[in-house]
Amino acid sequence: MNSMRWAFVAVLAATLVAAGMVGISSAYHSGGAAECTGCHTMHGSNTYLLQGSDPSSTCLNCHQHTGDTGPTSYHSSTAPADMPAGVPPKQRAPGGDFGWLKKTYTFTLRGTPTTDDGNLFGHNIVAADYGYVVDPNNATAPGGTFPSAQLGCTSCHDPHGQYRRNANGTISKTGAPIANSGSYATSAEPTATSAVGVYRLLAGAGYTKGGVTFLGNPAAKVPSSYNRTEAATQTRVAYGHATTGGHVSWADWCKTCHSNHGAFPHPNDQQLGSTIATNYNSYVKTGDMTGTAATSFTSLVPFVENTSDYTVLASHAKNDNTYLQGPSGGDRITCLSCHRAHASGWNHALRWNIEYEFMVSGTSWYGTDTTPGDTNANKHRGRTSTETAAAYYDRPATQFAEGGQRLLCNKCHAKD
Amino acid sequence: MRLCITSAILGVTLVAGPAAAQSLRAAYLYTLSDFTGSIRVDWSRVAVDRQRNEVYALHQNTVRVFNESGMEVYRFGDDLDIGHIVDVAVDDRGDVFLLSYRDSKAAIVRCNYRGELQARITLKRLPAEFSDFVPNRMVFQQGRFFLASSSGLKIVTADRDGHFVEGFDLVPLLDLEEQDRGSAELGGFSVDPAGNVLMTIPVLFRAFVMSRDGTVTAFGRAGSAPGRFNIVGGIARDREGNVLVVDKAKGAVLVFDPTLKFVSQFATRGSKPGQLLTPGDLAIDDRGTVYVTQAGKRGVSVFRLTHD
């Protein structure tokens, strides 16, 4: 054990205690650093005296738990024991379930055996104890230099949750004590004497990992119950656009590691403009453009609201369909309009399957059970209809055009 | 009383606490195996059959039955077509119960000792407060089912036919607040032969014993020192009344005496025989055989606990 290091830890702990940040509360991270021993052990021998073989295993000690029957609290990963072949991962939080990375689908496509390898489905975090391994294809972040071998939860999240949003709207790493999480629609706002945590303990200005340094935090609010089925009502994250006072836009945050992403050079951060906003608002499904702005939102194609006001975002972060307002021309498209942050049931952590031009089969989801056979392989790509439904967060296939629902690029482009 | 530490064979480290009133010996025996070698799956569910000294391990819809020497003697489950099996329990007659989910609906399936489907049991007469009850843990003890929803923080007991007997909402019982439902969840859940419910909540660094009348005793404190909790997981009581608590982070099993005083802990974090890598759950039979599930493709480690 490295006593020097622990002396330092002890000092930091003392500082944090003095700042009123430590204490067992129901919200484990309570918007800031949690009980040190949840993640560190004095008697550990590894780097940072962590409670796992690596930082991500440490996180998964709580963020994955065997025995899940459905979306469960703050779990970000489903244990293999809970997802035998044909059974999809259980979590339905906005970031997505890392468990998809452990699902590999094989199917025969026009006579050729084809594989959708799980490592394509998102960010391959390295968590040795939990069987998550380095991405075998990308040595670094596509369009950047961040080494895949170092990718873990703490590449994107600050484990000590030091970034805080202050009453004056700025984000800082030190300052007033963090009173509570700032992520939730119901979280209290900062006051003159207390700050709140940044959205999802995400890495902020000055946070350096794998040779890259983040320039700020993105703004958003999420309903306090967020890991849930969207079979009946949608979970709406209200993503905001803030670029000053320690903030960066959502696309710029992702570009910390994907600075040069060019494989699919789609505009990002760009305002939708009135034509595309009108498309979004009118689009119900393929061939049906009778929608209205007040009910047009879909969590399969979220957008960034052109506001940096967290109270406005909080009032839009709903999980009961009471706020389904679509975009206006000033709102924006971002990476998360198409991708999930962690992983999804589809290649490149996309929110929908882009490998085939249609999405549903009549009134059911594509699947090896509903649309079997070689000629249909591109539709199901080896998934059961249950798995396809799970990848769409359990919404019914009947929400889409029975006669041939096309890809959701059309939500904005309406070319169908 | 004399403080007595007995370090056991095969490299199992035993660390005694100040309250050690008895001497405890923990020996690593083996990993649950079949004829091809040890079965290296992560975090199975384990349930012991106290009558027959057998142990059941569930992983991905396959239930494997092991004899007293930890060798697989039988397996079933995959062919039952009952959806996704989430927990397994055995009663004194040797009947096997499987808690399963299909289309988000829970059902208990009763099988005979050969794993052949005998009956489907549905929960009946659930009071309104438990209408949203979605159990993911199940124990059969004292002629009853004890079902728990680890994130819903509710427990229901039901008779052999599924009739509701009692319901417990852990939020008030554990002095939590409504907002904690979903943010605090059970890490370990078991029921001792007397019908007391044992539970851990990792994010609170606490373990709990709920007796038959619903009174709750809490114990444990956060910390890395022996006897303290880092991230607690499974919990179970042995025949002597000691309570064993798994610490996922330490890779150790902590032993508390019947008065819930810390006695000692065994195993350390690591990949050598007798060490544990992120252990999850545990079960203990009447002979003091302890089955500990873990990660890192290390399977279920088996220890023998003896008291001098």
Side-chain angles (χ1 to χ4, degrees):
Chain A
M1 187 184 101
N2 183 333
S3 54
M4 281 280 279
R5 187 173 280 150
W6 263 102
F8 173 45
V9 169
V11 171
L12 177 55
T15 321
L16 295 176
V17 171
M21 272 174 56
V22 180
I24 298 171
S25 101
S26 58
Y28 181 69
H29 299 278
S30 45
E35 186 78 17
C36 315
T37 50
C39 301
H40 297 279
T41 171
M42 305 267 193
H43 306 278
S45 49
N46 63 7
T47 323
Y48 301 134
L49 306 174
L50 278 175
Q51 299 277 22
S53 297
D54 43 55
S56 300
S57 295
T58 308
C59 307
L60 290 173
N61 281 342
C62 289
H63 288 282
Q64 178 189 303
H65 191 50
T66 312
D68 289 351
T69 59
T72 307
S73 54
Y74 42 77
H75 297 179
S76 299
S77 166
T78 299
D82 295 328
M83 42 173 212
V87 175
K90 311 281 185 201
Q91 317 311 327
R92 304 281 189 273
D97 191 327
F98 285 106
W100 288 109
L101 298 168
K102 293 188 179 165
K103 288 273 172 190
T104 286
Y105 298 103
T106 46
F107 47 96
T108 308
L109 189 59
R110 287 179 226 96
T112 312
T114 310
T115 303
D116 269 359
D117 202 316
N119 64 55
L120 277 175
F121 301 163
H123 281 115
N124 291 272
I125 39 127
V126 181
D129 297 357
Y130 287 77
Y132 286 109
V133 295
V134 184
D135 186 304
N137 306 317
N138 302 324
T140 63
T145 56
F146 192 98
S148 299
Q150 290 178 30
L151 188 63
C153 318
T154 60
S155 307
C156 296
H157 298 278
D158 169 13
H160 302 122
Q162 294 184 75
Y163 293 93
R164 66 204 70 200
R165 183 160 57 87
N166 304 297
N168 67 6
T170 62
I171 287 173
S172 57
K173 203 172 167 182
T174 54
I178 297 175
N180 54 268
S181 165
S183 298
Y184 303 110
T186 48
S187 309
E189 281 294 290
T191 65
T193 51
S194 68
V196 302
V198 293
Y199 186 62
R200 293 312 193 191
L201 308 179
L202 287 174
Y207 190 87
T208 301
K209 277 272 144 42
V212 303
T213 302
F214 288 82
L215 298 175
N217 285 95
K221 282 282 188 180
V222 63
S224 59
S225 170
Y226 57 85
N227 186 8
R228 54 187 292 284
T229 174
E230 296 189 40
T233 58
Q234 306 194 72
T235 306
R236 180 171 190 162
V237 177
Y239 300 101
H241 185 72
T243 53
T244 57
H247 285 93
V248 290
S249 74
W250 273 97
D252 283 347
W253 189 84
C254 300
K255 285 183 187 160
T256 312
C257 296
H258 298 284
S259 51
N260 230 340
H261 171 52
F264 184 75
H266 193 277
N268 274 290
D269 270 351
Q270 185 161 334
Q271 295 191 315
L272 299 176
S274 62
T275 310
I276 287 187
T278 306
N279 285 346
Y280 191 109
N281 289 326
S282 313
Y283 190 92
V284 178
K285 56 191 176 194
T286 299
D288 181 350
M289 293 293 288
T290 61
T292 55
T295 54
S296 68
F297 175 79
T298 168
S299 61
L300 288 179
V301 192
F303 54 89
V304 167
E305 296 183 46
N306 199 31
T307 177
S308 57
D309 186 337
Y310 281 85
T311 54
V312 170
L313 296 173
S315 70
H316 295 172
K318 299 283 185 198
N319 61 14
D320 56 3
N321 282 3
T322 51
Y323 188 80
L324 294 175
Q325 181 74 36
S328 58
D331 292 337
R332 293 164 198 264
I333 174 154
T334 186
C335 318
L336 292 181
S337 299
C338 302
H339 296 281
R340 291 197 183 271
H342 294 158
S344 79
W346 309 113
N347 288 351
H348 312 299
L350 287 166
R351 289 179 187 252
W352 66 89
N353 181 17
I354 53 140
E355 308 297 332
Y356 188 63
E357 57 186 310
F358 297 108
M359 281 175 61
V360 297
S361 161
T363 54
S364 43
W365 290 114
Y366 290 141
T368 47
D369 48 342
T370 46
T371 49
D374 172 83
T375 49
N376 285 326
N378 239 340
K379 302 178 176 173
H380 58 66
R381 296 190 75 86
R383 283 108 172 133
T384 61
S385 60
T386 314
E387 286 171 313
T388 305
Y392 291 116
Y393 282 43
D394 313 314
R395 71 195 74 222
T398 48
Q399 287 180 359
F400 298 96
E402 201 180 325
Q405 172 66 44
R406 289 181 183 263
L407 299 187
L408 289 177
C409 304
N410 291 303
K411 181 75 176 157
C412 291
H413 293 292
K415 294 279 184 270
D416 55 344
Chain B
M1 252 168 274
R2 200 168 62 91
L3 181 90
C4 175
I5 311 168
T6 322
S7 194
I9 40 167
L10 283 168
V12 179
T13 316
L14 223 132
V15 189
Q22 52 181 315
S23 120
L24 192 77
R25 198 186 277 272
Y28 167 68
L29 302 179
Y30 40 69
T31 300
L32 291 182
S33 306
D34 63 14
F35 63 89
T36 63
S38 41
I39 300 168
R40 303 200 163 268
V41 297
D42 288 348
W43 296 299
S44 326
R45 277 270 165 259
V46 283
V48 294
D49 178 347
R50 292 178 186 258
Q51 259 67 37
R52 278 152 288 268
N53 289 328
E54 288 180 333
V55 64
Y56 286 67
L58 163 69
H59 184 80
Q60 292 204 336
N61 276 13
T62 300
V63 180
R64 299 165 192 260
V65 188
F66 300 85
N67 67 13
E68 324 195 13
S69 13
M71 189 53 75
E72 181 179 324
V73 289
Y74 199 69
R75 84 167 71 153
F76 66 95
D78 243 350
D79 49 342
L80 285 175
D81 190 30
I82 53 171
H84 173 208
I85 309 170
V86 298
D87 209 351
V88 55
V90 197
D91 73 2
D92 44 9
R93 307 179 196 173
D95 279 347
V96 187
F97 301 100
L98 303 174
L99 176 62
S100 67
Y101 273 80
R102 165 165 284 163
D103 300 330
S104 316
K105 280 194 200 65
I108 300 170
V109 169
R110 194 181 78 228
C111 297
N112 63 15
Y113 73 99
R114 286 202 300 274
E116 291 157 347
L117 201 151
Q118 304 293 301
R120 284 172 203 275
I121 304 162
T122 44
L123 286 181
K124 294 178 253 321
R125 299 185 203 146
L126 282 181
E129 317 87 271
F130 292 91
S131 57
D132 61 350
F133 182 62
V134 279
N136 63 332
R137 301 299 309 269
M138 172 182 67
V139 177
F140 195 86
Q141 196 65 267
Q142 299 223 326
R144 291 199 216 173
F145 291 108
F146 288 75
L147 297 153
S149 164
S150 52
S151 59
L153 294 176
K154 285 182 181 175
I155 293 176
V156 158
T157 66
D159 70 13
R160 247 180 115 60
D161 301 316
H163 292 112
F164 176 89
V165 178
E166 266 177 304
F168 301 93
D169 184 348
L170 297 175
V171 168
L173 282 172
L174 305 184
D175 245 349
L176 301 175
E177 284 167 26
E178 192 50 44
Q179 68 192 44
D180 298 328
R181 216 186 292 279
S183 74
E185 67 179 294
L186 301 183
F189 171 79
S190 73
V191 182
D192 70 14
N196 303 299
V197 177
L198 312 178
M199 302 165 276
T200 62
I201 297 190
V203 295
L204 300 179
F205 303 89
R206 300 291 266 174
F208 304 88
V209 179
M210 183 175 81
S211 57
R212 289 295 295 271
D213 60 6
T215 49
V216 175
T217 314
F219 66 104
R221 280 180 66 190
S224 320
R228 298 278 190 102
F229 290 171
N230 280 125
I231 295 185
V232 278
I235 181 168
R237 201 192 289 268
D238 72 3
R239 204 179 57 174
E240 276 74 30
N242 300 303
V243 176
L244 279 65
V245 179
V246 166
D247 195 311
K248 273 191 173 179
K250 281 183 178 144
V253 179
L254 283 55
V255 185
F256 296 82
D257 73 8
T259 68
L260 306 177
K261 274 209 209 71
F262 175 62
V263 179
S264 63
Q265 67 184 48
F266 64 90
T268 47
R269 191 189 151 77
S271 305
K272 299 199 193 89
Q275 290 189 308
L276 293 168
L277 200 68
T278 319
D281 211 351
L282 91 170
I284 181 162
D285 70 9
D286 284 349
R287 300 168 306 159
T289 320
V290 187
Y291 300 90
V292 189
T293 72
Q294 62 199 307
K297 294 272 175 276
R298 288 172 40 82
V300 178
S301 287
V302 186
F303 297 84
R304 173 62 52 79
L305 207 60
T306 45
H307 307 270
D308 301 336

